[in-house]
Amino acid sequence: MQLILRDGSFGPFLTQVISKAQAAETLSSAQLTQLKSKAVLMSLKFADKFYNKYKMHLLEQAACDIIGIVSLGLQELSDNDTERALGLLLAPEGIVKPFQKGWSMLATVSKKTGKTSLYGDVEEQLVQNISSPPDAEDWYGWAHYQTALTEHRRSQSMQLLQQQFYVRTHFDEFDHFSLEEVLAEVVLYRALTGSDKVRQDLKQRLRTITLQEHWFNPTFIELQTEATLAQLPAANAEAIRQDLGQHFIPALLRTLSFAKDYQALALTDATPERLDALEGKQGLTNPLLGWPQYIEF
């Protein structure tokens, strides 16, 4: 396996580390040979497990996969510091520890679709995205991983919101289409009712709720949102914040204003059809973020 490039400033992180160490004369020929031997051995094992080690093109693919996976784990373990990374490579474990770390990272962010992956717990597309020949001019493996990590935390955050703030335990996949919608319903329900858990009774309870003037202030909605996020793990709370658009607070305020109109109509003993018509009209002209989608019977 070739592990040297002409310019290792932008290629896979493993190659960057080796190239800089060679330039600084902190990596001897004997140490490099030992690293290459371990990399070749790992490539053979990888090809034997997932491909076919007797076919050259598949063995070469395994080598590229190893470079990408080791680069990912090495960059994470060293915090993108090439000197620290070199120390990890020269440790007794060599490239094994970075490989295990990289594989674990990929397994964590892989989508569990129910379909069997060639790589077991790791999504095939992720391996393809980070796989790289050693002399690649550019390597976007870290960026691909970060994108997958963000998506993983977004999905995980939606599940956490549902588990922590909803009374019901089963959710239809069409109940919510985005993380923003889930958070909005939690924030709106908790703001209006003072309850910790969301139930499917907001439209009914709205008839007995006294709407406070200070609720129609952006600061109030912001505080309610932060109070909700504060009950989640920091990484998930941050993932949610990054997912929220600039119109999140204004949209919730519009929904709150609609709730006031809905309440006024409901208190006139309007028929369910009239209430549905009001809700449908507002939902079509100006989508109601956070407004419950269930139907009252």
Side-chain angles (χ1 to χ4, degrees), residues 34 51 53 63 65 72 107 110 113-114 135 143 173 192 202 215 230 236 262 264-265 272:
Q34 187 176 26
Y51 303 133
K53 66 180 180 180
D65 296 342
L72 182 68
S110 289
T113 61
D135 56 351
E173 61 179 319
L192 290 176
L202 181 60
W215 292 358
N236 296 103
Y262 187 93
L265 184 59

Side-chain angles (χ1 to χ4, degrees), residues 132-146:
S132 173
D135 56 351
E137 293 184 0
D138 298 294
W139 180 65
Y140 301 103
W142 183 259
H144 282 299
Y145 166 73
Q146 291 298 321

